[in-house]
């Protein structure tokens, strides 16, 4: 796939999620998690939906939390001290392997990396919507070399490569003006962000990151040519990137719980059983209404109206 305009391509990836919006809306309503409000409002100035506006029976959320916690403990059972598992044939490399493992896992366990917070939300999204992403980035700082970021269907869009794996990514979100200036530098952000920063308004601005395979990539080469992927950062409606960065390998790992042929985004057991969940909720509502009418029956009927 040849991409000529990274910004337009990123926006088109977001728009291609429309066929899933109704399903995700139903799931979000059942969960009361506000994801659907972010799907609709993350890219405009509408107010966020109150957290308690759409909340159904909490049983399904408790089931989701239990499943997500189970996978979290199964895949990342980090303890203190760290329990090391070695390859069968390690021989003289055992000491080096132990040291490197302790260093890397120790960095990820630190509060500054955000590992546990993001890994937890990763499994929440994966269990609920069937699609989630996770990244580990280098910070360039010696004491805090890594930080972790998770992605859900509300902010991550992607397209598949020829092998069916996610290969083109778009990240849409909103950052405060002060965050943009701190992250990218005052001189690189658009004039709209500079104006907000100068006046102290610190309003939210649209941020888009388009990640694509590096068309100039050559395996084994040094510099930009040796990087497999390239990312372009955009702010607001600007068509020119404020920052271009290169990655040694695919920077976002995407997991899909149930992959259906011909569909890009995954399905979950929860989304597959949304009809059953709706039926149960409707049955409970009807049962409660019937009990209420039995306990407090109408006083009578007058001109086609029920008097309570």
């Amino acid at each position: 796939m040849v991409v000529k305009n990274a910004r337009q391509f990123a926006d088109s990836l977001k728009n291609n999620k429309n066929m899933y919006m109704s399903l995700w809306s139903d799931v979000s309503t059942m969960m009361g998690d506000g994801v659907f409000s972010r799907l609709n409002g993350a890219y405009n100035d509408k107010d966020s939906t109150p957290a308690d506006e759409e909340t159904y029976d909490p049983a399904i959320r408790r089931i989701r939390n239990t499943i997500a916690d189970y996978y979290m403990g199964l895949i990342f059972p980090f303890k203190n001290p760290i329990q090391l598992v070695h390859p069968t044939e390690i021989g003289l490399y055992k000491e080096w392997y132990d040291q490197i493992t302790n260093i890397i896992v120790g960095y990820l366990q630190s509060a500054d990396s955000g590992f546990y917070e993001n890994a937890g939300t990763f499994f929440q999204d994966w269990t609920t919507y069937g699609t989630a992403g996770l990244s580990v980035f280098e910070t360039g700082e010696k004491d805090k070399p890594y930080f972790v970021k998770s992605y859900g269907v509300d902010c991550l869009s992607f397209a598949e490569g020829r092998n069916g794996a996610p290969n083109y990514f778009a990240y849409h979100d909103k950052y405060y003006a002060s965050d943009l200036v701190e992250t990218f530098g005052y001189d690189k952000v658009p004039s709209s962000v500079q104006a907000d920063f100068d006046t102290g308004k610190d309003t939210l601005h649209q941020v888009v990151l388009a990640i694509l395979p590096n068309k100039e990539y050559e395996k084994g080469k040094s510099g930009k040519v040796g990087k497999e992927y390239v990312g372009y950062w955009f702010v607001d409606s600007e068509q020119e990137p404020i920052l271009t960065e290169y990655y040694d390998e695919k920077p976002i790992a995407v997991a899909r719980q149930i992959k259906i042929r011909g569909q890009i985004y995954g399905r979950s057991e929860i989304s597959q059983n949304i009809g059953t969940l709706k039926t149960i909720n409707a049955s409970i509502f009807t049962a409660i209404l019937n009990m209420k009418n039995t306990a407090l029956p109408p006083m009578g009927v007058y001109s086609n109206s029920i008097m309570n």
Side-chain angles (χ1 to χ4, degrees):
M1 182 186 299
V2 178
V3 178
K4 295 183 178 180
N5 187 307
R7 175 57 191 270
Q8 291 181 5
F9 182 71
D11 289 339
S12 68
L13 286 183
K14 178 173 72 71
N15 294 332
N16 288 341
K17 295 194 294 189
N18 287 339
M19 68 173 291
Y20 302 91
M21 295 290 276
S22 178
L23 173 62
W24 291 340
S25 173
D26 284 346
V27 175
S28 180
T29 300
M30 291 290 173
M31 292 296 172
D33 58 11
V35 166
F36 187 66
S37 65
R38 293 197 297 276
L39 279 165
N40 283 334
Y43 321 119
N44 54 45
D45 296 325
K46 294 180 181 179
D47 293 334
S48 297
T49 302
D52 60 348
E53 184 170 306
E54 296 179 336
T55 305
Y56 275 59
D57 175 46
I60 184 63
R61 292 198 299 278
R62 292 175 181 173
I63 295 172
R64 184 271 310 273
N65 295 342
T66 301
I67 296 173
D69 290 344
Y70 169 78
Y71 281 114
M72 179 71 176
L74 182 67
I75 297 180
F76 298 113
F78 290 160
K79 300 178 181 179
N80 193 12
I82 299 167
Q83 304 298 309
L84 299 179
V85 179
H86 299 108
T88 304
E89 300 293 336
I90 192 168
L92 299 176
Y93 298 101
K94 181 180 183 303
E95 183 178 350
W96 175 87
Y97 185 87
D98 289 354
Q99 182 181 6
I100 293 299
T101 302
N102 274 280
I103 290 174
I104 294 176
V105 175
Y107 284 142
L108 290 178
Q109 283 184 308
S110 70
D112 295 311
S113 73
F115 173 79
Y116 284 105
E117 293 82 357
N118 284 276
T121 55
F122 167 84
F123 284 111
Q124 294 271 351
D125 287 329
W126 183 73
T127 303
T128 307
Y129 298 95
T131 301
L134 196 68
S135 295
V136 179
F137 292 106
E138 295 182 359
T139 63
E141 301 178 19
K142 184 177 180 180
D143 297 333
K144 307 171 185 177
Y146 305 107
F147 75 92
V148 181
K149 185 171 181 59
S150 61
Y151 310 87
V153 295
D154 56 321
C155 63
L156 180 65
S157 311
F158 56 89
E160 296 176 336
R162 288 181 295 181
N163 62 352
N167 210 35
Y168 305 83
F169 306 90
Y171 168 66
H172 289 76
D173 207 344
K174 281 195 170 185
Y175 287 10
Y176 286 102
S178 58
D179 291 332
L180 290 170
V181 171
E182 181 181 0
T183 303
F184 300 104
Y186 183 86
D187 295 334
K188 289 189 175 182
V189 297
S191 57
S192 57
V193 178
Q194 293 176 350
D196 283 349
F197 181 79
D198 292 338
T199 57
K201 290 182 179 179
D202 208 19
T203 56
L204 289 168
H205 292 263
Q206 183 187 45
V207 175
V208 180
L209 170 61
I211 299 176
L212 311 168
N214 184 6
K215 60 184 179 181
E216 299 178 354
Y217 171 67
E218 292 185 33
K219 188 175 181 179
K221 293 294 183 68
S222 60
K224 297 178 181 179
V225 178
K227 306 293 185 179
E228 194 171 353
Y229 284 81
V230 57
Y232 303 95
W233 287 91
F234 302 90
V235 177
D236 291 336
S237 59
E238 299 290 326
Q239 295 298 309
E240 294 298 324
I242 62 172
L243 176 68
T244 301
E245 54 188 9
Y246 293 83
Y247 315 98
D248 291 328
E249 56 188 15
K250 190 180 298 183
I252 300 178
V254 174
R256 292 170 286 186
Q257 191 179 82
I258 301 172
K259 179 67 169 70
I260 298 176
R261 185 182 300 278
Q263 295 191 8
I264 297 176
Y265 294 88
R267 298 291 185 93
S268 67
E269 290 290 345
I270 291 175
S271 67
Q272 296 266 48
N273 292 282
I274 193 68
T276 302
L277 298 175
K278 285 183 173 182
T279 301
I280 293 173
N281 280 330
S283 300
I284 293 174
F285 174 81
T286 303
I288 293 174
L289 184 62
N290 289 336
M291 286 189 291
K292 177 183 176 183
N293 290 333
T294 301
L296 296 172
M299 294 174 60
V301 177
Y302 177 75
S303 186
N304 295 325
S305 298
I306 295 178
M307 298 174 60
N308 288 319

